[in-house]
Amino acid sequence: MAVDQKNKLNPNPEAERRENNNNKLPNFLLSVRLKYVKLGYHYLISNALYLLLVAILAISSAHLSTLSVQDIVQLWSQLRYNLVTVTVCPSLLVFLGTLYFMSGPRKVYLVDFACYKPGPERQGTREFFMERSAKIGCFSEENLAFQKKILERSGLGQHTYFPEVVMRFPPNPCMAEARKEAETVMFGAIDELLSKTGVKAKDIGILVVNCSGFCPTPSLSAMIVNHYKLRGNIMSYNLGGMGCSAALISVDLAKQLLQLHPNSYALVMSMENITLNWYFGNDRSMLVPNCLFRMGGASILLSNRSSDRRRSKYQLIHIVRTHKGADDRCYNCILQREDDTKRVGVSLSKDLMAVAGEALTTNITTLAPLVLPMSEKLLFFATLVAKKVFKMKIEPYIPDFKLAFEHFCIHAGGRAVLDELEKNLELSQWHMEPSRMTLYRFGNTSSSSSWYGLAYSEAKGRMRKGDRTWQIAFGSGFKCNSAVWQALRTINPAKEKNPWIDEIQEFPVHVPRVAPVDFEAP
């Protein structure tokens, strides 16, 4: 009976329900996107100092507006009788400020860099790699299939570069061929760098060369000194066996030397030698480098001259180095050794990805306080206190490094490495594009790969004045190294000469998870 009476009073219950919902306020907790809340929080904390200064200025202005002419005259009279104090205090502040800035570390500028691009006669497809591997006759049918599988999932394209000794048949890996490859890469990169910067070879006071797998006598650095007739008092260093992170180690060494030698140029040459490191055995842990490593190198010119700031591209802000060699598992995960048949190769253990993750975590722990904005530091600290002190069961807060950097140049060691960093650092495809395209176009060029990634960002016209770039590299030992650069000017790709410029319009390309290789074992 009551229901019938209610229906008579309101013949359309559905319409009443919609009317009541329309009269209610929306649930803002469901409608507001949390990422915008976080963005607003970030801007509030980052600009807190400016907001505080504005408030102080407003209060000071309000107070000054209440002063009369008589108050101002009285204040001037007091200052006039304390002339010594008024004069000495500002002078002391100026002196201490000047002393602080003069005693600080010298600023290090990256004037320019050059990445070597071999000629088209050095290009080889994935099918060429497989055909040549089969033709050599030293690999079993099972290991040919294994290499094919690795190639199909590697992320490498069809236009990577091989040294001459690999292109010829039969291959003849020897000291002479290794020297030839080293000279081709080093002199090609350095010639381009000197041409771009206009710096004379005689003006270079510091030389650092790194190459892990080829350490001849005389050294590679001596080869450069001899070829360019560098001056007799040059500070020359040759780093060997330092792995794929050696480029940033070389930059760090050059930076330390530039602190001791004013008004100097430092030349850094980073490369790897393929000729004597090609593996001809059947140990699967040693076959992966054959599939990934390719020919390449980069030269970098650093300066501590204040006059070079205007023409330099970047300023070095931070370098953070992490070494996990004290742990046996980390030390042995990348190891050059002999197989059962006494053939030398570089073996990669199954612990490699786990070790790389541990090294990256340690490196980030040191780097984060140096680069993250205050908003991220507060969130991280609050989460840490809640977890450790109050024993709250919450997930650890992962800082958003996209708030600290505009560009990421990650060592293009392999697809798995890039996938893991993209996932763990929560990077977008845009941020990963330089590294993925470097792996696709040039393969793993070892220590120089992050420079190819930086050249990609420049060729795309992405680099703006003030942008910050994070270079990340991993290497044997096990090491994880980071370098932070800040752009001193906007890079105009139309005025650049780098290995991407002639073909940058073709990138990015889609790289499938599995790219079939058209090859059948004979």
Side-chain angles (χ1 to χ4, degrees), residues 177-179 181-182 211-214 271-278:
E177 291 292 341
R179 284 183 180 275
E181 180 192 349
C211 180
S212 290
F214 182 53
M271 62 163 291
E272 192 49 82
N273 191 281
I274 305 298
T275 298
L276 288 182
N277 289 284
W278 203 262

Side-chain angles (χ1 to χ4, degrees), residues 117 123 159-161 437-443 500 503:
K117 185 177 183 180
Q123 283 187 0
H159 303 288
T160 57
Y161 298 97
M437 293 304 102
T438 294
L439 181 64
Y440 177 84
R441 180 62 183 84
F442 294 97
W500 297 96
E503 51 187 281

